[in-house]
Amino acid sequence: KIGSNDLKMDLSLIANPVAGGGNRGKVERASQILDSGSYKVEMLWTERSGHATELARQAAAKGADVVVAAGGDGTINEVASGLVGSEASMGVIPLGTANCYAMEVGIPLDVAGASKSLLESRPHRIHLGRAGERYFLLMASIGFDAEVVYRINPRVKKRLGKLAYI
């Protein structure tokens, strides 16, 4: 039967509940859009730094067809790192402060647009960078800019958004 959950692909939606100052409602909206399309959605919420990598590995090992990172650039990087060597595809719902990855690859920055683009897109391979044992999507840096990102106060970032980096 067309539209039954048995014919839908398995999608794990890994979400950072504090990305961009808190986005539970946006994540739930993305889940609804994806679930009404060709995916059966499993929601997974991160609890700490590094947790998205663990969740992505587990989702891929359980056979998820697609693993979606819903959060900022850090969450996206963690999910990508967790999928290295797997057959699962990765999707992105940008919910962070800067959303550098989404802007660079042309993913819509609104939840509905990003979710709909996932429903209409086809997978393609991307190349990850690697520094030691860590993978990265866009850039790796040392020096002043790395120090700024490292020292950013999360409370200030939540209040000021991108201005916190200045």
Side-chain angles (χ1 to χ4, degrees):
K1 174 178 157 189
I2 302 284
S4 85
N5 273 348
D6 292 341
L7 298 177
K8 289 186 173 192
M9 293 190 292
D10 291 323
L11 180 146
S12 293
L13 181 59
I14 299 174
N16 179 347
V18 298
N23 288 298
R24 283 190 181 268
K26 290 180 180 179
V27 171
E28 289 165 4
R29 177 69 182 130
S31 176
Q32 291 170 349
I33 293 169
L34 294 168
D35 194 54
S36 69
S38 53
Y39 296 110
K40 182 172 44 171
V41 178
E42 174 188 26
M43 292 286 304
L44 303 167
W45 295 95
T46 62
E47 298 172 358
R48 64 190 177 286
S49 179
H51 195 209
T53 300
E54 296 169 26
L55 293 172
R57 277 192 194 117
Q58 292 167 5
K62 289 192 319 190
D65 299 296
V66 179
V67 179
V68 174
D73 292 317
T75 304
I76 294 164
N77 186 68
E78 284 190 24
V79 169
S81 295
L83 295 178
V84 169
S86 78
E87 293 297 317
S89 296
M90 183 180 88
V92 172
I93 305 292
L95 298 174
T97 303
N99 297 310
C100 294
Y101 179 75
M103 287 192 300
E104 287 290 328
V105 299
I107 297 170
L109 298 180
D110 64 294
V111 170
S115 301
K116 289 174 185 171
S117 76
L118 275 169
L119 294 173
E120 298 166 0
S121 66
R122 286 190 252 176
H124 58 276
R125 291 195 182 275
I126 59 172
H127 297 281
L128 297 177
R130 184 173 169 186
E133 297 302 312
R134 294 194 56 166
Y135 292 92
F136 58 93
L137 289 164
L138 286 178
M139 62 191 93
S141 70
I142 59 173
F144 179 73
D145 57 334
E147 190 68 21
V148 168
V149 172
Y150 177 75
R151 289 183 180 220
I152 204 112
N153 182 318
R155 288 188 308 268
V156 173
K157 183 178 166 187
K158 183 177 180 178
R159 196 168 5 121
L160 299 179
K162 291 180 188 178
L163 288 175
Y165 291 102
I166 296 170

Coordinates of all heavy atoms in Angstrom, one line a residue, residues 7-94:
L7 N 6.9 0.9 3.7 CA 7.6 1.3 2.5 C 8.5 2.5 2.7 O 9.2 2.9 1.8 CB 6.6 1.6 1.4 CG 5.7 0.4 1.0 CD1 4.7 0.8 -0.1 CD2 6.6 -0.8 0.5
K8 N 8.4 3.1 3.9 CA 9.2 4.3 4.1 C 10.7 3.9 4.5 O 10.9 2.8 5.1 CB 8.6 5.1 5.3 CG 7.3 5.8 4.9 CD 6.8 6.7 6.0 CE 5.7 7.5 5.5 NZ 5.4 8.6 6.5
M9 N 11.6 4.7 4.2 CA 13.0 4.5 4.6 C 13.2 4.9 6.0 O 12.5 5.9 6.5 CB 13.9 5.3 3.7 CG 14.0 4.8 2.2 SD 15.3 5.5 1.3 CE 14.7 7.2 1.2
D10 N 14.1 4.3 6.7 CA 14.4 4.6 8.1 C 15.3 5.9 8.2 O 16.4 5.9 7.5 CB 15.1 3.5 8.8 CG 14.1 2.3 9.0 OD1 12.9 2.5 9.3 OD2 14.6 1.2 8.9
L11 N 14.9 6.8 8.9 CA 15.6 8.1 9.1 C 15.8 8.3 10.6 O 14.8 8.3 11.3 CB 14.9 9.2 8.4 CG 15.6 10.6 8.5 CD1 15.3 11.4 7.3 CD2 15.1 11.4 9.7
S12 N 17.0 8.5 11.0 CA 17.3 8.9 12.4 C 17.6 10.4 12.4 O 18.5 10.9 11.7 CB 18.5 8.2 13.0 OG 18.2 6.8 13.1
L13 N 16.8 11.2 13.2 CA 17.0 12.6 13.3 C 17.7 12.9 14.6 O 17.1 12.8 15.7 CB 15.6 13.3 13.2 CG 15.5 14.8 13.3 CD1 16.3 15.5 12.2 CD2 14.1 15.3 13.3
I14 N 18.9 13.3 14.5 CA 19.8 13.6 15.7 C 19.8 15.1 15.9 O 20.2 15.8 15.1 CB 21.2 13.0 15.5 CG1 21.2 11.5 15.3 CG2 22.1 13.4 16.7 CD1 22.5 10.9 15.0
A15 N 19.2 15.5 17.1 CA 19.0 16.9 17.3 C 19.7 17.4 18.6 O 19.7 16.7 19.6 CB 17.5 17.2 17.4
N16 N 20.3 18.5 18.5 CA 20.9 19.2 19.6 C 19.8 20.2 20.2 O 19.5 21.1 19.5 CB 22.1 20.0 19.2 CG 22.8 20.7 20.3 OD1 22.2 20.9 21.4 ND2 24.0 21.2 20.0
P17 N 19.3 19.9 21.4 CA 18.2 20.7 21.9 C 18.6 22.1 22.3 O 17.7 22.9 22.5 CB 17.8 19.9 23.2 CG 19.0 19.1 23.6 CD 19.7 18.8 22.3
V18 N 19.9 22.4 22.3 CA 20.3 23.8 22.7 C 20.9 24.6 21.5 O 21.2 25.7 21.7 CB 21.2 23.8 23.9 CG1 20.6 23.2 25.1 CG2 22.5 23.1 23.6
A19 N 21.0 24.0 20.4 CA 21.5 24.7 19.2 C 20.7 25.9 18.9 O 19.5 25.9 18.9 CB 21.6 23.7 18.0
G20 N 21.4 27.0 18.6 CA 20.8 28.2 18.2 C 19.9 28.8 19.3 O 19.0 29.5 19.0
G21 N 20.1 28.4 20.5 CA 19.3 28.9 21.6 C 18.1 28.1 22.0 O 17.3 28.5 22.8
G22 N 18.0 26.9 21.5 CA 16.9 26.0 21.8 C 15.9 25.9 20.6 O 15.4 26.9 20.2
N23 N 15.7 24.7 20.1 CA 14.9 24.6 18.9 C 14.0 23.4 18.9 O 13.7 22.8 17.9 CB 15.9 24.4 17.7 CG 16.5 25.7 17.4 OD1 15.9 26.7 17.0 ND2 17.9 25.7 17.5
R24 N 13.5 22.9 20.1 CA 12.7 21.7 20.1 C 11.5 21.8 19.2 O 11.2 20.8 18.5 CB 12.3 21.4 21.5 CG 13.4 20.8 22.4 CD 12.8 20.3 23.7 NE 13.9 19.7 24.5 CZ 14.2 18.4 24.5 NH1 13.6 17.6 23.7 NH2 15.2 18.0 25.2
G25 N 10.9 22.9 19.1 CA 9.7 23.1 18.3 C 10.1 22.9 16.8 O 9.3 22.3 16.0
K26 N 11.2 23.5 16.4 CA 11.6 23.4 15.0 C 12.0 22.0 14.7 O 11.7 21.6 13.5 CB 12.8 24.4 14.8 CG 12.4 25.8 14.8 CD 13.7 26.7 14.6 CE 13.3 28.2 14.7 NZ 14.4 29.1 14.5
V27 N 12.6 21.3 15.6 CA 13.0 19.9 15.3 C 11.8 19.1 15.1 O 11.7 18.2 14.2 CB 13.9 19.4 16.4 CG1 14.1 17.9 16.3 CG2 15.3 20.1 16.5
E28 N 10.8 19.3 16.0 CA 9.5 18.5 15.9 C 8.8 18.8 14.6 O 8.3 17.9 13.9 CB 8.6 18.8 17.1 CG 9.2 18.2 18.3 CD 8.6 18.7 19.6 OE1 7.6 19.5 19.6 OE2 9.1 18.3 20.7
R29 N 8.9 20.1 14.1 CA 8.3 20.4 12.8 C 9.1 19.7 11.7 O 8.4 19.2 10.7 CB 8.4 22.0 12.6 CG 7.9 22.4 11.3 CD 6.4 22.2 11.1 NE 5.9 22.6 9.8 CZ 5.2 21.9 9.0 NH1 4.7 20.7 9.4 NH2 4.8 22.3 7.8
A30 N 10.4 19.7 11.7 CA 11.2 19.0 10.7 C 10.8 17.5 10.7 O 10.6 16.9 9.6 CB 12.7 19.1 11.0
S31 N 10.6 16.9 11.9 CA 10.3 15.5 12.0 C 8.9 15.2 11.3 O 8.7 14.3 10.6 CB 10.2 15.1 13.5 OG 9.8 13.8 13.6
Q32 N 7.9 16.1 11.5 CA 6.6 16.0 10.9 C 6.7 16.0 9.4 O 6.1 15.2 8.7 CB 5.7 17.1 11.4 CG 5.3 17.0 12.9 CD 4.6 18.2 13.4 OE1 4.5 19.3 12.7 NE2 4.0 18.1 14.6
I33 N 7.5 17.0 8.9 CA 7.6 17.1 7.4 C 8.2 15.9 6.8 O 7.8 15.3 5.8 CB 8.4 18.4 7.1 CG1 7.6 19.6 7.4 CG2 8.7 18.4 5.6 CD1 8.4 20.9 7.4
L34 N 9.3 15.4 7.5 CA 10.0 14.2 6.9 C 9.2 13.0 7.1 O 9.2 12.1 6.2 CB 11.4 14.1 7.7 CG 12.4 15.2 7.4 CD1 13.5 15.1 8.4 CD2 12.8 15.2 6.0
D35 N 8.4 12.8 8.2 CA 7.6 11.7 8.4 C 6.4 11.6 7.4 O 5.9 10.6 7.0 CB 7.1 11.6 9.8 CG 6.5 10.3 10.2 OD1 7.2 9.3 10.0 OD2 5.4 10.2 10.6
S36 N 6.0 12.8 7.0 CA 4.9 12.8 6.0 C 5.3 12.5 4.6 O 4.5 12.3 3.7 CB 4.2 14.2 6.0 OG 5.0 15.2 5.5
G37 N 6.6 12.5 4.4 CA 7.2 12.2 3.1 C 7.6 10.7 3.0 O 6.8 9.8 3.4
S38 N 8.8 10.4 2.6 CA 9.2 9.1 2.4 C 10.0 8.4 3.5 O 10.6 7.4 3.3 CB 10.0 9.0 1.1 OG 11.1 9.9 1.1
Y39 N 10.0 9.1 4.7 CA 10.8 8.6 5.8 C 10.0 8.2 7.0 O 8.9 8.8 7.3 CB 11.8 9.6 6.2 CG 12.8 10.0 5.2 CD1 12.8 11.2 4.5 CD2 13.8 9.0 4.8 CE1 13.7 11.5 3.5 CE2 14.7 9.3 3.8 CZ 14.7 10.6 3.2 OH 15.6 10.9 2.2
K40 N 10.4 7.2 7.7 CA 9.9 6.8 9.0 C 11.0 7.4 10.0 O 12.1 6.9 10.0 CB 9.8 5.3 9.2 CG 9.2 4.8 10.5 CD 8.9 3.3 10.5 CE 10.1 2.5 9.8 NZ 9.9 1.1 10.0
V41 N 10.6 8.3 10.8 CA 11.6 9.1 11.6 C 11.7 8.6 13.0 O 10.7 8.4 13.7 CB 11.1 10.6 11.6 CG1 12.1 11.4 12.5 CG2 11.1 11.2 10.2
E42 N 12.9 8.5 13.5 CA 13.3 8.2 14.8 C 14.0 9.4 15.4 O 15.0 9.8 14.8 CB 14.2 7.0 15.0 CG 14.7 6.7 16.4 CD 15.8 5.6 16.5 OE1 16.5 5.4 15.5 OE2 15.9 5.0 17.5
M43 N 13.4 10.0 16.5 CA 14.0 11.2 17.1 C 15.1 10.8 18.1 O 14.8 9.9 19.0 CB 13.0 12.0 17.8 CG 12.0 12.7 16.8 SD 12.7 14.1 16.0 CE 13.2 15.1 17.3
L44 N 16.2 11.4 18.0 CA 17.3 11.1 19.0 C 17.9 12.5 19.5 O 18.3 13.3 18.6 CB 18.4 10.3 18.4 CG 18.0 9.0 17.8 CD1 19.1 8.4 16.9 CD2 17.7 8.0 18.9
W45 N 17.8 12.8 20.8 CA 18.3 14.1 21.3 C 19.7 13.9 21.9 O 19.9 13.0 22.7 CB 17.3 14.6 22.4 CG 16.0 14.9 21.8 CD1 14.9 14.1 21.8 CD2 15.6 16.1 21.2 NE1 13.8 14.7 21.1 CE2 14.2 16.0 20.8 CE3 16.3 17.3 20.9 CZ2 13.5 17.0 20.1 CZ3 15.5 18.3 20.2 CH2 14.2 18.1 19.9
T46 N 20.6 14.8 21.6 CA 21.9 14.8 22.2 C 21.9 15.3 23.6 O 21.0 16.1 24.0 CB 22.9 15.6 21.4 OG1 22.5 17.0 21.4 CG2 23.0 15.1 19.9
E47 N 22.8 14.7 24.4 CA 22.8 15.1 25.8 C 24.1 15.8 26.2 O 24.2 16.4 27.3 CB 22.6 13.8 26.7 CG 21.3 13.2 26.4 CD 21.1 11.8 27.1 OE1 22.1 11.4 27.7 OE2 20.0 11.3 27.0
R48 N 25.2 15.7 25.4 CA 26.5 16.2 25.7 C 27.3 16.3 24.5 O 27.0 15.7 23.4 CB 27.2 15.3 26.8 CG 27.4 13.9 26.3 CD 27.9 13.0 27.3 NE 28.1 11.6 26.8 CZ 27.2 10.8 26.4 NH1 25.9 11.1 26.5 NH2 27.5 9.6 25.9
S49 N 28.5 16.9 24.6 CA 29.4 17.0 23.5 C 29.9 15.6 23.1 O 30.2 14.8 24.0 CB 30.6 17.9 23.9 OG 31.6 17.9 22.9
G50 N 29.9 15.3 21.9 CA 30.3 14.0 21.4 C 29.2 13.0 21.3 O 29.4 11.9 20.7
H51 N 28.1 13.3 21.9 CA 26.9 12.3 21.9 C 26.4 12.1 20.5 O 25.9 11.0 20.1 CB 25.9 12.8 22.8 CG 24.9 11.8 23.2 ND1 23.6 12.1 23.5 CD2 24.9 10.4 23.2 CE1 22.9 11.0 23.8 NE2 23.7 9.9 23.6
A52 N 26.4 13.2 19.6 CA 25.8 13.0 18.3 C 26.6 12.0 17.5 O 26.1 11.3 16.6 CB 25.8 14.4 17.6
T53 N 27.9 12.0 17.7 CA 28.8 11.0 17.0 C 28.4 9.6 17.4 O 28.2 8.7 16.5 CB 30.3 11.2 17.3 OG1 30.6 12.5 16.9 CG2 31.2 10.2 16.6
E54 N 28.2 9.4 18.7 CA 27.8 8.0 19.2 C 26.4 7.7 18.6 O 26.2 6.5 18.1 CB 27.7 8.0 20.7 CG 29.0 8.3 21.4 CD 28.8 8.5 22.9 OE1 27.7 8.1 23.5 OE2 29.6 9.2 23.5
L55 N 25.5 8.6 18.6 CA 24.1 8.3 18.1 C 24.1 8.0 16.6 O 23.4 7.1 16.2 CB 23.2 9.5 18.4 CG 22.9 9.7 19.9 CD1 22.1 11.1 20.0 CD2 22.1 8.6 20.5
A56 N 25.0 8.7 15.9 CA 25.1 8.5 14.4 C 25.6 7.1 14.1 O 25.1 6.4 13.3 CB 25.9 9.6 13.8
R57 N 26.7 6.7 14.9 CA 27.2 5.4 14.7 C 26.2 4.3 15.0 O 26.1 3.3 14.3 CB 28.4 5.2 15.6 CG 29.7 5.7 15.1 CD 30.9 5.3 16.0 NE 32.0 6.1 15.6 CZ 32.7 6.9 16.4 NH1 32.3 7.0 17.7 NH2 33.7 7.6 16.0
Q58 N 25.5 4.5 16.1 CA 24.4 3.5 16.5 C 23.3 3.4 15.4 O 22.9 2.4 15.1 CB 23.8 3.9 17.8 CG 24.8 3.7 19.0 CD 24.3 4.3 20.3 OE1 23.2 4.8 20.4 NE2 25.2 4.3 21.3
A59 N 22.9 4.6 14.9 CA 21.8 4.6 13.9 C 22.3 3.9 12.6 O 21.5 3.1 12.1 CB 21.4 6.1 13.6
A60 N 23.5 4.2 12.2 CA 24.0 3.5 11.0 C 24.1 2.0 11.2 O 23.8 1.2 10.3 CB 25.4 4.1 10.6
A61 N 24.6 1.6 12.4 CA 24.8 0.2 12.7 C 23.4 -0.5 12.7 O 23.3 -1.7 12.4 CB 25.5 0.0 14.1
K62 N 22.3 0.2 13.1 CA 21.0 -0.4 13.1 C 20.3 -0.4 11.8 O 19.2 -0.9 11.6 CB 20.1 0.4 14.1 CG 20.5 0.1 15.6 CD 19.4 0.6 16.6 CE 18.8 1.9 16.3 NZ 18.0 2.5 17.4
G63 N 21.0 0.2 10.8 CA 20.5 0.2 9.4 C 19.7 1.4 9.0 O 19.0 1.3 8.0
A64 N 19.9 2.5 9.6 CA 19.2 3.7 9.2 C 19.7 4.1 7.8 O 20.9 4.0 7.4 CB 19.5 4.9 10.1
D65 N 18.7 4.4 6.9 CA 19.1 4.8 5.5 C 19.7 6.2 5.5 O 20.6 6.5 4.7 CB 17.8 4.8 4.6 CG 17.2 3.4 4.6 OD1 17.9 2.5 4.0 OD2 16.1 3.2 5.1
V66 N 19.1 7.1 6.3 CA 19.5 8.5 6.4 C 19.6 8.9 7.9 O 18.8 8.5 8.7 CB 18.5 9.4 5.7 CG1 18.9 10.8 5.8 CG2 18.3 9.0 4.2
V67 N 20.7 9.6 8.2 CA 20.9 10.2 9.5 C 20.9 11.7 9.3 O 21.8 12.2 8.6 CB 22.1 9.6 10.2 CG1 22.3 10.3 11.6 CG2 22.1 8.1 10.3
V68 N 20.0 12.4 10.0 CA 20.0 13.9 9.8 C 20.5 14.5 11.0 O 20.1 14.2 12.2 CB 18.5 14.3 9.5 CG1 18.4 15.8 9.5 CG2 18.0 13.7 8.2
A69 N 21.4 15.5 10.8 CA 21.9 16.3 11.9 C 21.0 17.6 12.0 O 21.0 18.4 11.0 CB 23.3 16.7 11.6
A70 N 20.3 17.8 13.1 CA 19.5 19.0 13.3 C 20.2 19.8 14.4 O 20.1 19.4 15.6 CB 18.1 18.6 13.7
G71 N 20.9 20.8 14.0 CA 21.7 21.6 15.0 C 22.6 22.5 14.3 O 22.4 22.8 13.1
G72 N 23.6 22.9 15.0 CA 24.6 23.8 14.4 C 25.8 23.1 13.8 O 25.8 21.8 13.6
D73 N 26.8 23.8 13.4 CA 28.0 23.2 12.7 C 28.6 22.1 13.5 O 29.1 21.1 13.0 CB 29.0 24.3 12.3 CG 28.4 25.2 11.2 OD1 27.8 24.7 10.3 OD2 28.6 26.4 11.3
G74 N 28.7 22.3 14.9 CA 29.3 21.3 15.7 C 28.5 20.0 15.7 O 29.1 18.9 15.6
T75 N 27.2 20.0 15.7 CA 26.3 18.8 15.7 C 26.5 18.2 14.3 O 26.6 16.9 14.2 CB 24.9 19.2 15.9 OG1 24.7 19.8 17.2 CG2 24.0 17.9 15.9
I76 N 26.5 19.0 13.3 CA 26.7 18.4 11.9 C 28.0 17.7 11.8 O 28.1 16.6 11.2 CB 26.5 19.6 10.9 CG1 25.1 20.1 10.9 CG2 27.0 19.1 9.5 CD1 25.0 21.5 10.2
N77 N 29.1 18.3 12.3 CA 30.4 17.7 12.3 C 30.4 16.4 13.0 O 31.0 15.4 12.6 CB 31.4 18.6 12.8 CG 32.8 18.1 12.6 OD1 33.3 18.0 11.5 ND2 33.5 17.7 13.7
E78 N 29.8 16.3 14.2 CA 29.7 15.1 15.0 C 29.0 14.0 14.3 O 29.4 12.9 14.3 CB 29.1 15.4 16.3 CG 29.9 16.1 17.3 CD 29.4 16.1 18.7 OE1 28.5 15.2 19.1 OE2 29.7 17.0 19.5
V79 N 27.9 14.3 13.7 CA 27.1 13.3 12.9 C 27.9 12.8 11.7 O 28.0 11.6 11.5 CB 25.7 13.8 12.5 CG1 25.0 12.9 11.5 CG2 24.8 14.1 13.7
A80 N 28.5 13.7 11.0 CA 29.4 13.3 9.9 C 30.5 12.3 10.3 O 30.7 11.3 9.7 CB 29.9 14.5 9.1
S81 N 31.1 12.7 11.4 CA 32.2 11.8 12.0 C 31.6 10.4 12.4 O 32.3 9.4 12.2 CB 32.8 12.5 13.2 OG 33.4 13.7 12.8
G82 N 30.4 10.4 12.9 CA 29.9 9.1 13.3 C 29.5 8.2 12.1 O 29.3 7.0 12.3
L83 N 29.3 8.8 11.0 CA 28.9 8.1 9.8 C 30.0 7.6 8.9 O 29.8 6.9 7.9 CB 27.9 8.9 8.9 CG 26.5 9.2 9.6 CD1 25.7 10.1 8.7 CD2 25.8 7.9 10.0
V84 N 31.2 8.0 9.2 CA 32.4 7.7 8.4 C 32.5 6.1 8.3 O 32.4 5.4 9.3 CB 33.7 8.2 9.1 CG1 34.9 7.6 8.4 CG2 33.8 9.7 9.0
G85 N 32.6 5.7 7.1 CA 32.7 4.2 6.8 C 31.4 3.5 6.7 O 31.3 2.3 6.5
S86 N 30.2 4.2 7.0 CA 28.9 3.5 6.9 C 28.3 3.7 5.5 O 28.8 4.5 4.7 CB 28.0 4.1 8.0 OG 27.5 5.3 7.7
E87 N 27.2 3.1 5.3 CA 26.4 3.2 4.1 C 25.3 4.3 4.2 O 24.6 4.6 3.3 CB 25.8 1.9 3.7 CG 26.9 0.9 3.2 CD 27.7 1.3 2.0 OE1 27.1 1.8 1.1 OE2 28.9 1.2 2.0
A88 N 25.1 4.8 5.4 CA 24.0 5.7 5.7 C 24.3 7.1 5.0 O 25.4 7.5 5.0 CB 23.8 5.9 7.2
S89 N 23.3 7.7 4.5 CA 23.4 9.1 4.0 C 23.2 10.1 5.1 O 22.5 9.7 6.1 CB 22.3 9.3 2.9 OG 22.5 8.5 1.8
M90 N 23.7 11.3 4.9 CA 23.5 12.3 6.0 C 22.7 13.4 5.4 O 22.9 13.8 4.2 CB 24.9 12.8 6.4 CG 24.8 13.9 7.5 SD 26.3 14.5 8.1 CE 26.6 15.9 7.0
G91 N 21.8 14.0 6.2 CA 21.1 15.1 5.9 C 21.3 16.2 6.9 O 21.8 15.9 8.0
V92 N 20.9 17.4 6.6 CA 21.1 18.5 7.6 C 19.9 19.4 7.7 O 19.3 19.8 6.7 CB 22.3 19.4 7.1 CG1 22.5 20.6 7.9 CG2 23.6 18.6 7.2
I93 N 19.5 19.7 8.9 CA 18.5 20.7 9.2 C 19.3 21.8 10.0 O 19.7 21.5 11.2 CB 17.4 20.2 10.1 CG1 16.7 19.0 9.4 CG2 16.4 21.3 10.4 CD1 15.9 19.3 8.1
P94 N 19.7 22.9 9.4 CA 20.5 23.9 10.1 C 19.8 24.7 11.2 O 18.8 25.3 10.9 CB 21.0 24.8 9.0 CG 20.0 24.7 7.9 CD 19.4 23.3 8.1

